[in-house]
Amino acid sequence: MSSSVPIGDDGVTEATTELQSSTISQPKFLEPKIVSKPVNDYALKYGFREDPVATELRHITADHPRSRMMGDPNEAAFFSNVLMPAMNAKKIVEIGVFTGYTTLQLAKAVGEDGTVLALDVSDEFTCIGKPYWKKAGVADRIQLIIAPAVETLQKILDDGQAETFDFVFIDADKVHYGTYYELSLQLLRKNGIVAIDNTLWGGKVLDEQSHQDNDTDAIRAISKHVMTDDRVDHVLLPFADGVTLVRKC
Ligand SMILES: C[S@@+](CC[C@H](N)C(=O)[O-])C[C@H]1O[C@@H](n2cnc3c(N)ncnc32)[C@H](O)[C@@H]1O
């Protein structure tokens, strides 16, 4: 695919310097989105063991003005420590990368012979993560593609890769969730899983009267669609910001 951006490109040298000079002391966590802070603190304390390079990247990301976009640490651990190994996942798409905190862990989980296609529109955000992917020894498993994800997913399908992916993580702009879902189902093998992030959206999806913005409407729409989609089985897990796991039957 011509829009591929090789890992280790522009921005890495500068960011690496920052990485080496930063002092990582205590892990830093963002405010929880739907559970209480004490519950979240407990789950973070005992919930998972985190790759030390991922901890560094999370810490750096927490200082970013858009830090709220970073993936939930428990959720990333659920995927990388449990779900991916259990599925023997080797081919993954992540739609929406930001600084690549979850990307790094998915790449660890697929092993040396696995691939993560990491789709985003922002060079600025994704360049923050690249040196950490390198430091963790997983950069060669990540193919970062900077372009609108709908276009990229269609290209992957046109490339003859339908029904070859084990897992898709949908975590980009909400208004395209319905399109991402349909394209993801085409990419997945039987029993492959698509994870749809933010399906509780801080609770905003609950009240149809007071929250009628495009993002919230799009999230409600995908949840209603999945509920009646007989191509799949699914479960909405009320943790992180709500994550719906959808298995292709
Ligand atoms: C919530 S963040 C992703 C968080 C990431 N998955 C993680 O776990 O840390 C959403 C990302 O989607 C990207 N994005 C927004 N619109 C997009 C589009 N049309 N195509 C691809 N990426 C997009 C943004 O640049 C942003 O980096």
Side-chain angles (χ1 to χ4, degrees):
M1 276 162 290
S2 57
S3 50
S4 254
V5 176
I7 307 304
D9 254 1
D10 37 334
V12 171
T13 314
E14 267 178 41
T16 304
T17 308
E18 185 186 346
L19 178 158
Q20 285 164 348
S21 63
S22 65
T23 311
I24 307 302
S25 49
Q26 290 298 310
K28 191 165 176 179
F29 298 106
L30 297 169
E31 288 299 305
K33 288 176 179 147
I34 59 170
V35 298
S36 69
K37 189 158 184 336
V39 169
N40 198 57
D41 288 348
Y42 186 89
L44 290 169
K45 189 168 179 189
Y46 296 109
F48 57 94
R49 289 191 294 261
E50 189 177 48
D51 178 282
V53 183
T55 308
E56 289 183 44
L57 178 53
R58 176 166 53 74
H59 199 123
I60 294 290
T61 304
D63 291 332
H64 191 278
R66 307 289 298 276
S67 59
R68 291 283 292 173
M69 290 208 291
M70 184 177 67
D72 180 272
N74 278 90
E75 185 179 357
F78 167 54
F79 295 154
S80 60
N81 296 357
V82 179
L83 191 63
M84 296 306 100
M87 295 174 72
N88 194 28
K90 295 289 167 193
K91 247 183 121 175
I92 290 176
V93 182
E94 183 185 23
I95 307 173
V97 175
F98 189 40
T99 63
Y101 170 75
T102 303
T103 321
L104 186 157
Q105 295 178 78
L106 290 173
K108 274 196 82 177
V110 293
E112 284 177 5
D113 55 343
T115 312
V116 179
L117 296 189
L119 317 186
D120 208 290
V121 284
S122 172
D123 260 326
E124 185 196 331
F125 296 155
T126 53
C127 273
I128 295 169
K130 285 179 186 175
Y132 297 89
W133 299 345
K134 260 190 164 172
K135 188 176 180 185
V138 297
D140 58 350
R141 304 172 195 172
I142 300 171
Q143 190 185 356
L144 176 65
I145 302 171
I146 300 294
V150 171
E151 279 175 23
T152 307
L153 294 168
Q154 192 56 59
K155 276 189 194 158
I156 299 167
L157 286 166
D158 295 345
D159 209 30
Q161 297 192 60
E163 302 192 354
T164 66
F165 285 83
D166 302 297
F167 181 70
V168 181
F169 180 34
I170 298 179
D171 192 18
D173 52 322
K174 310 309 166 203
V175 290
H176 284 118
Y177 264 28
T179 310
Y180 295 147
Y181 174 74
E182 288 303 324
L183 294 170
S184 299
L185 280 190
Q186 293 179 54
L187 287 171
L188 285 180
R189 62 162 166 91
K190 181 176 160 58
N191 286 325
I193 289 176
V194 52
I196 309 171
D197 204 25
N198 307 108
T199 45
L200 291 176
W201 203 223
K204 283 169 79 178
V205 289
L206 307 183
D207 184 351
E208 303 218 5
Q209 299 311 315
S210 48
H211 297 291
Q212 295 181 329
D213 56 282
N214 291 341
D215 289 346
T216 309
D217 286 346
I219 294 169
R220 282 193 196 106
I222 192 63
S223 292
K224 287 176 185 168
H225 179 59
V226 172
M227 191 67 190
T228 58
D229 187 351
D230 59 13
R231 299 170 297 175
V232 302
D233 268 333
H234 78 288
V235 58
L236 193 167
L237 300 173
F239 89 119
D241 191 25
V243 55
T244 300
L245 297 185
V246 183
R247 181 179 62 83
K248 182 175 173 180
C249 298

